Structure formats: C-alpha cells, structure tokens
Amino acid sequence: MEIIKGDFIIIGSGLAGLSLALKLKNLGEVIVLTKKRVFDNATSLAQGGIACVLEEDNHFDLHRRDTEIAGDGLCDPEIVDLVIKKGPERIKDLLEWGVNFDRDPENPKRFHLTLEGGHSRKRVLHVGDYTGRAIENALIQRAVESPTISLLENHLAFELILEKGCSSDTCRVAGVYVIDLIKSQIKLFLAPVVAICTGGAGKAYLYTSNPDTATGDGIALAYEAGCRIANMEFIQFHPTCLYHPKAKNFLISEALRGEGGVLLNAEGKPFMHKYDPVRLELAPRDIVTRAIDMELKQSGAECVYLDITSLPSDYVKRRFPHIYETCLKYGIDITSQPIPVVPAAHYLCGGILTNCWGQTDIPNLFAVGECACTGLHGANRLASNSLLEAVVFSHQAYLRIKEDLALYKEWSIRLPTLKEPIIMDIKEEKVFISHNWDIIRKIMWDLVGIVRTTKMLEFALKRISLIRREIEENWNSVYLDLDVMELKFLSLVAELIVKSALQRRESRGTHYLLDYPKKDYNYQRYTILQKNF
Ligand code: SIN
C-alpha cells in the first residue's frame, strides 16, 4: 500500500478546507483530499452571501441578537460573539485572496449589502447571486499557486487511523485511509494534524439543495473514531428550491425575498401574514418553511410561488443573473412570472462537536464548516452565517494548530497494525446499493422531515437500522466504489439524525415534533451521540 506523509491532511475542498489550507501553507506540507473535483461542494453552490457587520449603523449586538433569535434559544452565546466579532478580519482575508464582493453602485467605496430572512439589517456581502462560486474560484486559484499545497481530487477518505490502543480519553489520530478512485487503489496518508471539512449531509433526503457530495462522510468518520456528534436533529430546510421536473437541487436564494419577493399559494394569494404577521417573507427559515409545508398540505398543491415581478426587470437581471438564466433555461422568465418553489433539505446545524478552536474530542483532529457543531447555529442557522462560520473557524483552527504544532509533531504515535483492506467486485450487486440509497432518502423525507412525530421517528429508526445491518452483513469490507462507501456514510448519518431527533422531546427551531409542540424550558443545548467501543 502506498504511504504518503505530510504535515497537515485536510479532507474537503470547500471554503472551510481551502481557507484552512491557505492559512497552514507556511507551516508545512498541506494535503487536501477531495472525493470528486475540487469545486464539487456546497460552497460552490452558495448563492446568497456572507453575513458580516461592516457598517457603523449595523452593530455587532444586532447581528448577535438576530443569530440567537433564529437559533431559537440554543446558540452558544460565547461562540456567537466570537464569530460575529471576528467576521470583519476574516472578510479581509477573503478580499486578500481575491474575492471581489459587489460594491454599492451609488457609493463604490462601500460594499453592496443585502437582506435575508431573520436579519434586522442589511449585512450580507455577496458577488451577484453566485457568491460561493466566486469565493471557491478565488481560493482554488490561490491554493493551486502554492507550492506547499497538494490538491488531490478523486481521493475518498474512508477511515481515520487512530493510535494503537486508543481509548476515548487519550486518543490521537495518525492519518487516514483513502481510496484513489481513478487508480482504484487504497492509499495511506499520515500527518500530525488531520482536519475534517467535508460539509453536510443533505443527500440523506430525497429533495435537497445540496451537491451530490453531501453524504455526511466526515461526520461518519469522526463518529466511528469515537468523537461526540451533536444536534443532528436540526436539519434546516430551505423554503425555496426551484420546482421543475428537470431542475436538480437548484436554489432560489433567500436574497430574492430580501429584495422584495413575495410568496404566493396555488391560488396566487400571499400567505405569510398568517404565520408571521410582522416579519412576513423575512421570518427565519424554519418559520417560512413550515408555513409553506402547511399551505401545501392544506391545498394539496405541489408547489407555492415566489413572485419578484414587481421589481424592475433590468434590476432583477443584474442582481440575480444566475437565477434568471437558470430559470429561463427551464422556461420560466422570473421578471414576468412567479417562480414555482418547494422546500428542500439545505443545511445541517449539528455535526462533530468542536470547541472554540475547531478541535474535536481527539486533540489533533479538527472539524470546520458544516460538518462541525460549534454552537453558533443553535436550532436553526441564520441565513448567510455558514460561510462566515467556516472562514472564522478555519482561522481559529489555524491558531490552535500553530500554537501546538511542535507538540503534535513530538507525539510519536504508535500505529495500529495496518489493514490491507479486502477489495470486492460488486458489479452484480449495484442494484442493492441504489435501492438502499433511494429507500433511505425517501424514509428521511417522509418521516424525518419538516414536521415529525415520535411514531414516525421510531418507524424510521427501525427501517434505517435494518438497512444498516444489511449493509454491515453484506458490504463490510472495503469497496473501491464511491456509491457503496457513500451509502455506508449516509446510512450511519441518517441513523444519527433519527436518534438525535428521538432524544429531543420538544419543538424548537428546525425540529418540529407534533406530539411535543412546545419548547421545553429545561432544554439541553446539545443532544449527543457517541460510539461505545
Ligand atoms: C440563500 O441564498 O438563500 C442561501 C443562503 C444560506 O443558506 O445561508
């Protein structure tokens, strides 16, 4: 087996992974592993922008308050404070890396700031309606130029290598087993520091705004390594994904509602006043999503509509070029027609529990971005706080790694007996894989979705556990096949979501249980799951 050594291994190449790589590049050799192409991630799809307090009339306190209101009482106040106050410095990093946020046409010295649901002030920086792609492209360019960063595409990390005799109190990570999906080979990567930046798990649901890569890999790796996983019940559904038989995962940014878009039901009537009479379309996402879900259930309609036709057509084309062009491709002219929309799984507010340095329960294993649960989002993330969290926490992780690097390097970690994984050919069995993929995604959508009941969750758990047993019994060896490995990750993560949802017997933020419709004021901030060895 090929063994490759570096100073830092980063799994994932979205904003979290690449910004961490760019910070670490002067401290040693950085290896970035990504299972598809470098830009196949959620960052590249982010439309809205990045929330940050940059103007005098737009206080830190207000951003903090908006974050905590959206988070429905579960945000960690110290983390909220840290992320919001460090935001402006991190925006400077992005500018230095070449991200050109849109300027205010009236006053080009200032940035053009936009509004999204749950924000009491305009504070979202953006690049048109393709902010994530602009950020990703700038960071890839900087990473490619750096002689100390190696970007390895089509490399799937499938198991963390822990120190021999690891117990949950003293565990350290030594590296990671990886499948080179092009050469169909297993490789071993070793380094004193490993960071998981693999994003979320929207693919656990039938309908999602997420890219195909969002299969919860990093969360599954960390869980199997014994790390605590927290708040997996808090799946955020984005209220408005394009409803069209040929459109896959296409988001209609919340910024459209920020600029005045109105939601209409199947009869063409506005309805948000019934659900949030003050904030209307700009209520936090969980409220708007449940309102749409209710309208769909009551009317039996397949979608609702987002109407932006009151805005001047030129403005719409200039402000939302990507959404305009994409909808037009599907025969919808958003300047003259309401857009058919439905909610879809969008963001995982929970994940691998980390401290304020992005450190997991294993001291030399870090987790940054959507795969982590830092305490920022509580029960429901405020729009455009995710890119901010990723860039702030990659800096926090960098600071801790810089400080402790000598120590990590001194640890002479005893490697366990390295296994030469058995590789099986599964050509005839492919149908089982795709069948189980589909079933899991349907169970999650139907039973663990926007509105849940304990009975639905118990039923979902039974069914997913059965599928997991079947996977373990039949495909426990390592397969050089992306679908099999992703199915293993996804089924585990689906099980974690259901188990967390069953632990939280209250309705809060994105977790709405019909049989426990109220908040429990003796709440726990975190529902925790940890593997018993
Ligand atoms: C959007 O543009 O609506 C998505 C932004 C986000 O998820 O924060």
Side-chain angles (χ1 to χ4, degrees), residues 390-437:
V391 77
V392 167
F393 269 93
S394 66
H395 185 79
Q396 293 296 107
Y398 156 73
L399 292 177
R400 173 45 54 98
I401 293 168
K402 191 164 103 176
E403 173 97 13
D404 288 350
L405 188 57
L407 176 75
Y408 301 144
K409 285 190 167 175
E410 255 169 40
W411 291 345
S412 43
I413 296 183
R414 285 168 307 135
L415 289 180
T417 316
L418 294 177
K419 52 178 166 198
E420 192 70 56
I422 308 158
I423 295 147
M424 319 275 276
D425 184 1
I426 50 147
K427 267 191 223 99
E428 286 77 34
E429 296 177 20
K430 268 272 180 176
V431 64
F432 295 112
I433 308 301
S434 57
H435 178 77
N436 280 331
W437 255 92

Side-chain angles (χ1 to χ4, degrees), residues 145-161:
E145 284 162 10
S146 167
T148 51
I149 299 179
S150 311
L151 285 174
L152 302 182
E153 297 185 313
N154 302 299
H155 278 65
L156 171 76
F158 69 89
E159 188 178 325
L160 293 171
I161 301 162

Side-chain angles (χ1 to χ4, degrees), residues 183-211:
K183 292 191 182 154
S184 291
Q185 268 177 16
I186 308 274
K187 296 177 178 173
L188 188 63
F189 286 79
L190 299 175
V193 176
V194 177
I196 300 176
C197 307
T198 48
K203 290 298 280 187
Y205 285 85
L206 191 56
Y207 302 110
T208 176
S209 62
N210 289 185

Side-chain angles (χ1 to χ4, degrees), residues 452-509:
R452 306 162 176 178
T453 66
T454 306
K455 202 166 168 189
M456 286 178 182
L457 295 176
E458 283 167 352
F459 186 56
L461 184 59
K462 265 195 212 135
R463 303 211 53 201
I464 290 171
S465 303
L466 197 69
I467 295 173
R468 295 241 317 125
R469 235 192 352 264
E470 206 176 284
I471 294 169
E472 255 159 49
E473 279 165 15
N474 290 288
W475 299 291
N476 204 20
S477 322
V478 172
Y479 295 88
L480 296 175
D481 182 286
L482 185 60
D483 292 336
V484 181
M485 301 310 289
E486 286 186 335
L487 177 68
K488 289 186 186 182
F489 296 141
L490 199 73
S491 58
L492 169 55
V493 169
E495 191 173 69
L496 297 179
I497 294 171
V498 186
K499 283 186 172 166
S500 285
L502 277 165
Q503 272 186 37
R504 189 173 287 284
R505 303 262 157 145
E506 61 164 345
S507 287
R508 188 187 283 279

Side-chain angles (χ1 to χ4, degrees), residues 128-155:
D129 58 352
Y130 47 88
T131 312
R133 184 164 21 112
I135 292 178
E136 183 72 12
N137 286 348
L139 269 58
I140 291 174
Q141 197 176 328
R142 299 304 292 258
V144 167
E145 284 162 10
S146 167
T148 51
I149 299 179
S150 311
L151 285 174
L152 302 182
E153 297 185 313
N154 302 299
H155 278 65

